[in-house]
């Protein structure tokens, strides 16, 4: 069965630290990859996506992600986090054309001032 | 991106009753989806609701328990029937736009007592 794994469930870091969240998926075919973010009290927002082309994609708020096909990975990064980046981050994969998204378990990120 | 609203935002219901959740989109979309997010868990797709056809349910979800309507291109409802405490979750609708990006509503937080 297809699956999406996020390596960390909780991450605590200080402002200005660098952030990297791991995401791996198990599917051998073509995939579309997404990172969503859910800030406290808000709904899910699309952070960035990868469909094809340059494997390094940039999203909103200074986030970027790198697709490494050989490793079935799509890790999210931000060089310097802010307190406002405190949120839950979800990796999601789409493996067919009709829209079903499969989500990872999510990573709760807490940034301390 | 589409703006999605859901009603109610939250509800507390008694075991054995049913609740209908509404999802309204500010633009016409072909594909709408209903997800469930149980406490401490990730999002799981319940069903895909396309206008003019029967909803397609994922494994583990059945129409008798989660009937869905999709009367037009901007609206859908999900009913949670004969509720039990295990149905306590956040229920989210989402839409997929022509860009193949999926956007989510704010969710309906359901507590079953």
């Amino acid at each position: 069965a297809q699956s999406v794994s996020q390596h960390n469930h909780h991450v605590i870091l200080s402002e200005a630290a660098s952030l990297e969240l791991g995401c791996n998926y198990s599917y051998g075919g073509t995939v579309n990859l997404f990172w969503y973010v859910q800030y406290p009290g808000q709904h899910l927002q699309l952070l960035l996506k990868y469909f094809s082309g340059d494997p390094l994609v940039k999203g909103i708020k200074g986030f970027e992600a790198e697709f490494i096909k050989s490793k079935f990975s799509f890790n999210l990064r931000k060089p310097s986090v802010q307190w406002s980046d405190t949120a839950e981050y979800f990796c999601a994969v789409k493996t067919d054309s009709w829209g079903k998204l499969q989500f990872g378990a999510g990573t709760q990120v807490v940034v301390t001032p | 991106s589409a703006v999605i609203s859901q009603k109610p935002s939250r509800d507390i219901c008694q075991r054995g009753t049913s609740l209908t959740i509404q999802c309204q989109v500010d633009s016409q979309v072909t594909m709408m989806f209903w997800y469930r997010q149980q406490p401490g868990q990730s999002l799981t797709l319940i069903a895909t609701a396309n206008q003019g056809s029967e909803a397609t349910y994922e494994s583990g979800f059945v129409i008798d328990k989660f009937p869905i309507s999709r009367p037009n291109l901007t609206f859908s409802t999900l009913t949670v029937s004969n509720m039990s405490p295990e149905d306590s979750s956040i229920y989210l609708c989402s839409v997929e736009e022509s860009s193949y990006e999926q956007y989510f509503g704010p969710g309906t937080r359901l507590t079953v007592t």
Side-chain angles (χ1 to χ4, degrees):
Chain A
Q2 299 158 18
S3 65
V4 181
S5 300
Q6 291 184 238
H7 309 306
N8 309 97
H9 294 297
H10 290 92
V11 172
I12 301 174
L13 59 167
S14 302
E15 277 191 310
S18 64
L19 172 70
E20 180 160 1
L21 302 181
C23 174
N24 286 88
Y25 60 93
S26 62
Y27 183 73
T30 301
V31 293
N32 297 147
L33 301 160
F34 305 82
W35 276 97
Y36 283 85
V37 60
Q38 189 167 28
Y39 298 103
Q42 298 187 28
H43 61 276
L44 272 172
Q45 300 174 38
L46 181 63
L47 201 52
L48 48 75
K49 64 185 185 291
Y50 173 80
F51 290 164
S52 63
D54 188 344
L56 184 63
V57 293
K58 296 190 183 300
I60 60 173
K61 305 188 180 187
F63 285 90
E64 64 179 29
E66 184 175 14
F67 170 53
I68 303 179
K69 188 175 181 179
S70 61
K71 295 185 177 180
F72 300 90
S73 70
F74 189 55
N75 293 353
L76 180 70
R77 296 194 292 253
K78 185 169 184 179
S80 177
V81 295
Q82 301 173 322
W83 175 79
S84 58
D85 293 321
T86 294
E88 189 155 19
Y89 294 80
F90 294 93
C91 178
V93 176
K94 189 194 299 186
T95 60
D96 54 44
S97 60
W98 54 271
K100 174 182 176 179
L101 279 174
Q102 189 155 357
F103 282 84
T107 298
Q108 182 68 49
V109 174
V110 175
V111 180
T112 59
Chain B
S1 61
V3 177
I4 306 166
S5 59
Q6 287 185 233
K7 289 182 182 179
S9 59
R10 59 179 62 227
D11 207 342
I12 301 173
C13 301
Q14 290 192 342
R15 180 195 297 263
T17 63
S18 298
L19 176 71
T20 296
I21 302 167
Q22 299 178 6
C23 178
Q24 180 76 51
V25 190
D26 69 342
S27 58
Q28 293 185 337
V29 292
T30 302
M31 305 189 74
M32 293 181 76
F33 307 87
W34 287 97
Y35 289 81
R36 181 174 74 180
Q37 186 176 19
Q38 293 181 298
Q41 298 188 30
S42 188
L43 286 82
T44 302
L45 181 65
I46 297 172
T48 302
N50 291 337
Q51 195 267 338
S53 62
E54 295 289 326
T56 303
Y57 289 82
E58 295 298 302
S59 176
F61 298 97
V62 295
I63 188 171
D64 290 346
K65 176 67 175 178
F66 298 102
I68 288 171
S69 77
R70 181 79 199 274
N72 57 54
L73 291 173
T74 64
F75 187 78
S76 178
T77 67
L78 169 76
T79 298
V80 186
S81 303
N82 188 24
M83 287 184 284
S84 66
E86 292 71 35
D87 294 320
S88 297
S89 291
I90 298 173
Y91 292 86
L92 302 103
C93 71
S94 72
V95 303
E96 181 161 301
E97 297 191 327
S98 56
S99 60
Y100 303 107
E101 296 173 359
Q102 207 165 117
Y103 295 93
F104 286 80
T108 295
R109 183 180 295 272
L110 171 63
T111 302
V112 184
T113 61

